[in-house]
Amino acid sequence: MTDFMPRFLLCNLLISIIIAIFLVVRYLLYNYLTNRMRYHLWYLLLGLLAVPFLPASFTRLPRMFSLFGIWNQIPAAVNDLALVPNNAVHPSGAAGWINDISVSVGRKAPSVLWMVLSCMWVAGMCAVALSLLRTLLQLHQIRRSAMPVQNAAVRRIYNSCLAEMQIKRSIPLRSTACFSSPVITGLFRPYIYLPSHLTRGYSSRQLRYMFLHELQHYRHKDTLANHLMNVVNVIYWFHPFVWYILKEMRADREIACDTSVLNMLQEDDYEDYGNTLLVLARQASATVSPFASGIHAGMAQMKKRVLNIAGYRPPSQKRMIQGILAFALTAALLFGFVPVLSANASDQEHADVSYIDDKITELDLRREFGSCNGSFVLYDSADSSWQIYNKDQALTRTAPASTYKIYSALLGLETGVISQEQSVIPWDGQEYIYPEWNADQDLISAMQHSVTWYFQALDRKVGLARIKNHIRRIRYGNQVVTGNTDHYWIDGGLKISPVEQVELLKNLADNTFGFSQEHMDLVKQSIRLADGDSGTLYGKTGTVSADGKNISGWLVGYVETNGRNRFFAVNIQKEDQADGPAAAQIALKALARLGVWQENLF
């Protein structure tokens, strides 16, 4: 919840801006929309308010959040070595099994502020929900105490209105003193309640107008709209802009309902209908139940409705076409805001690769993974087939750790910061706890020993703007770059799923992005791990650490055999001891089982 709250609050800021834009657009298009269309526009806005809670993947949201540094709340990623087993042949000539070099950054504790705000939000929702529940119980009591209308003349008028509107369902008409004007309530069992005093002193024509109005509420499912608005009111109880749009939506609903009644009347009856509303306004109080829809409203709203009735003319065909176009334009505008309103954490942590669903063969690698939670992904370029163990986990994004260094190196080469002839970055003299780091490094040695300072220096020279463009160009995971050049892949928001890791490796091998082949070859050389009868193994490990414990390990790479590439990614997760070497052991066992890589490197 504390991770969700900052996103949700930022979404509410965006919602305020969107509502303001919507109101301006609605004002500009007001004369082109029919009354019913103006009312229906509010449904689109209600749908937009639900977006922060939908489990869909919208990649634009993190870019908005990155402006405010919100995503820095996630566990930090750390780095480790490239895999160099004791019988591997590394291009640098170095040998020996991996020493898990990492810099652990502790998990950040949830902010007290976010915890307090989360509790306040939940408490407010509970209070509003309890208030609505009390109202429902009151309506239940009214239903039990209300009596069927006994006046035969009133019942005839009501039955005539049912027949006029071609409503075959039996909607009970009840008399009660608990309401001062006619209302309809009940989602599954609707009832129309007629105040006891209205059975006397009102003409049959006035009663007809009232019944037609309430039955229009039934026809247009306005009781369902009441429930939707109540849900929004519970969730956004703190938001004044939301209060305003709910108020305006109820007002527009009554105007739309008036219009539907007017369409059933003769033009000579319009004035009489408006006078009926004025009589009710003088003699009745406004309906207060959030679950009821009624003909009466406050005086300010009633004035607006009477003016609408006085100037009403049935819309022409041209007006209808203009209204449809104006409605579609506004709907398209609101739909354009959907990607920036996804506040659910899962939205950004899951990749959408539904386009490969029909090519996936599910694997059972529980024996290889043992007590580790994780996933394995294998793509065979020969037949474009996918084999996946634990698909849900394979689509779940997590910090890339040192696996990102493949793409950092490529960017450094593409921007000319380093080259094949000159990739050395001098050691700055700072003493590191890993002896291998305390020396000048070239790309090969930096990748071999996973020298974090080398890639940080590389990124500083490249610059954050070009890094962001690079991330977007290659579509790297969630494409979130927060913080500075030293930390965006360590403790920033950059995340990627195992399936996306494989997709990237495949695109790099195919040079889909049009990088220099010379640069591609050098990066490929830097991650070459071993040669054997099975071919050549390329790869890079990574470890995600929090609070001094290794909680996630990676091995991503591919096996090249006579021009055939089989790309793979393994990610494991555990409370501790889930690191790059552990992921590598699982990966090699899985590859051996599948006949991809048979050499024993341990």
Side-chain angles (χ1 to χ4, degrees):
M1 178 64 73
T2 55
D3 188 50
F4 168 77
M5 183 52 61
R7 297 176 174 88
F8 183 52
L9 290 182
L10 183 54
C11 270
N12 277 275
L13 174 62
L14 297 173
I15 284 169
S16 300
I17 297 172
I18 291 170
I19 291 174
I21 294 173
F22 170 81
L23 293 176
V24 171
V25 172
R26 183 176 177 274
Y27 173 79
L28 295 175
L29 299 178
Y30 190 87
N31 291 329
Y32 297 98
L33 294 163
T34 66
N35 291 330
R36 181 62 62 179
M37 289 177 181
R38 293 185 199 122
Y39 170 55
H40 285 164
L41 277 179
W42 296 112
Y43 282 102
L44 300 179
L45 203 54
L46 290 189
L48 206 62
L49 295 178
V51 169
F53 304 93
L54 298 179
S57 179
F58 302 117
T59 59
R60 293 184 186 177
L61 177 66
R63 297 177 195 166
M64 297 293 295
F65 285 155
S66 66
L67 298 176
F68 300 89
I70 294 297
W71 283 88
N72 289 331
Q73 298 293 325
I74 67 168
V78 298
N79 55 336
D80 54 15
L81 286 175
L83 176 62
V84 190
N86 54 12
N87 61 342
V89 179
H90 194 277
S92 67
W97 176 245
I98 178 175
N99 295 313
D100 194 17
I101 296 178
S102 64
V103 180
S104 180
V105 183
R107 191 194 309 266
K108 296 181 181 179
S111 167
V112 174
L113 174 63
W114 299 134
M115 294 180 66
V116 170
L117 290 176
S118 298
C119 292
M120 290 175 60
W121 177 52
V122 172
M125 286 196 298
C126 291
V128 176
L130 287 174
S131 175
L132 291 173
L133 178 61
R134 184 170 64 250
T135 301
L136 276 176
L137 293 176
Q138 291 172 351
L139 286 176
H140 180 68
Q141 292 298 323
I142 291 173
R143 176 169 294 190
R144 293 181 60 184
S145 62
M147 301 294 294
V149 172
Q150 301 298 321
N151 189 306
V154 172
R155 291 202 306 272
R156 282 196 298 272
I157 296 171
Y158 177 65
N159 290 330
S160 175
C161 289
L162 286 171
E164 186 178 0
M165 293 189 62
Q166 299 181 351
I167 296 176
K168 297 181 180 180
R169 179 173 182 174
S170 175
I171 304 175
L173 178 65
R174 295 289 185 263
S175 175
T176 180
C178 298
F179 293 112
S180 57
S181 67
V183 298
I184 183 171
T185 183
L187 180 60
F188 301 109
R189 296 175 58 198
Y191 281 70
I192 290 180
Y193 295 98
L194 189 67
S196 303
H197 69 277
L198 289 186
T199 58
R200 304 177 302 275
Y202 282 82
S203 68
S204 59
R205 179 177 293 184
Q206 290 173 323
L207 287 172
R208 174 175 174 253
Y209 296 152
M210 297 177 196
F211 290 143
L212 288 177
H213 187 97
E214 300 311 315
L215 290 173
Q216 289 291 350
H217 280 308
Y218 168 76
R219 169 173 284 176
H220 291 98
K221 312 299 181 186
D222 288 338
T223 50
L224 175 60
N226 283 331
H227 285 75
L228 293 176
M229 287 188 279
N230 289 333
V231 170
V232 170
N233 191 35
V234 168
I235 297 173
Y236 292 94
W237 60 268
F238 58 88
H239 204 307
F241 279 28
V242 175
W243 303 341
Y244 176 78
I245 66 170
L246 292 179
K247 174 177 171 291
E248 290 298 303
M249 183 176 179
R250 290 187 174 95
D252 278 354
R253 178 182 64 191
E254 296 308 317
I255 291 176
C257 205
D258 289 337
T259 301
S260 296
V261 174
L262 294 177
N263 288 334
M264 300 183 65
L265 304 179
Q266 299 296 320
E267 189 171 344
D268 294 342
D269 295 329
Y270 292 176
E271 182 179 352
D272 200 15
Y273 179 74
N275 288 332
T276 301
L277 295 184
L278 292 175
V279 171
L280 279 173
R282 288 193 294 267
Q283 297 184 4
S285 60
T287 301
V288 295
S289 174
F291 293 97
S293 303
I295 190 172
H296 179 56
M299 285 303 298
Q301 185 191 130
M302 193 64 75
K303 179 181 178 180
K304 184 177 180 181
R305 290 170 62 184
V306 170
L307 290 175
N308 174 72
I309 292 169
Y312 178 73
R313 294 293 182 274
S316 64
Q317 185 177 9
K318 179 181 178 181
R319 173 79 184 282
M320 289 296 296
I321 294 174
Q322 290 176 336
I324 292 172
L325 292 175
F327 186 93
L329 177 64
T330 310
L333 175 66
L334 291 179
F335 183 78
F337 288 113
V338 168
V340 300
L341 279 181
S342 177
N344 194 322
S346 65
D347 294 347
Q348 271 307 305
E349 291 180 354
H350 284 81
D352 179 14
V353 289
S354 55
Y355 54 89
I356 65 169
D357 281 348
D358 58 341
K359 301 177 182 178
I360 294 175
T361 299
E362 294 189 9
L363 299 172
D364 183 0
L365 298 177
R366 287 175 292 181
R367 184 180 62 191
E368 284 75 12
F369 277 79
S371 61
C372 291
N373 180 34
S375 61
F376 172 89
V377 179
L378 178 69
Y379 173 80
D380 192 336
S381 63
D383 57 4
S384 300
S385 63
W386 292 79
Q387 297 183 72
I388 295 180
Y389 166 69
N390 196 349
K391 180 181 175 183
D392 183 66
Q393 198 69 27
L395 298 178
T396 301
R397 290 169 173 160
T398 189
S402 289
T403 65
Y404 175 74
K405 291 174 181 176
I406 298 171
Y407 307 96
S408 177
L410 182 59
L411 179 58
L413 290 165
E414 285 290 305
T415 55
V417 172
I418 57 175
S419 66
Q420 186 171 16
E421 296 76 21
Q422 178 52 265
S423 65
V424 174
I425 296 181
W427 174 43
D428 61 5
Q430 179 180 344
E431 289 290 332
Y432 296 96
I433 60 175
Y434 312 113
E436 296 89 346
W437 289 20
N438 299 325
D440 296 350
Q441 304 286 337
D442 61 15
L443 179 58
I444 300 298
S445 65
M447 192 72 77
Q448 175 189 353
H449 299 297
S450 205
V451 182
T452 294
W453 68 256
Y454 178 92
F455 294 95
Q456 289 174 331
L458 199 61
D459 284 342
R460 282 194 292 271
K461 293 180 180 181
V462 169
L464 200 58
R466 288 194 288 189
I467 290 172
K468 290 181 178 180
N469 289 334
H470 180 63
I471 292 292
R472 286 193 290 267
R473 178 183 178 184
I474 65 175
R475 298 187 295 276
Y476 192 94
N478 61 5
Q479 304 179 40
V480 177
V481 178
T482 59
N484 57 35
T485 55
D486 286 354
H487 299 286
Y488 69 95
W489 57 271
I490 296 178
D491 60 358
L494 192 62
K495 293 183 179 182
I496 192 168
S497 68
V499 170
E500 290 170 316
Q501 291 269 30
V502 169
E503 282 273 15
L504 268 176
L505 289 170
K506 178 169 68 74
N507 287 335
L508 283 176
D510 296 338
N511 205 2
T512 302
F513 306 113
F515 294 126
S516 164
Q517 192 59 49
E518 180 182 273
H519 298 158
M520 299 284 292
D521 291 341
L522 182 56
V523 172
K524 178 179 177 181
Q525 181 187 9
S526 73
I527 61 171
R528 182 166 140 251
L529 304 179
D531 292 321
D533 295 337
S534 302
T536 303
L537 176 66
Y538 299 89
K540 185 71 181 74
T541 55
T543 300
V544 177
S545 179
D547 296 335
K549 295 181 178 180
N550 295 329
I551 60 173
S552 176
W554 284 100
L555 176 64
V556 303
Y558 64 100
V559 175
E560 185 178 61
T561 309
N562 297 325
R564 177 187 183 185
N565 291 327
R566 281 169 287 187
F567 304 90
F568 64 88
V570 170
N571 177 253
I572 60 172
Q573 297 178 12
K574 204 175 179 182
E575 289 297 320
D576 195 10
Q577 299 180 346
D579 53 21
Q585 292 187 43
I586 292 174
L588 294 174
K589 289 178 182 177
L591 292 172
R593 180 174 172 183
L594 296 171
V596 176
W597 180 265
Q598 299 294 346
E599 280 71 22
N600 181 12
L601 303 182
F602 298 96

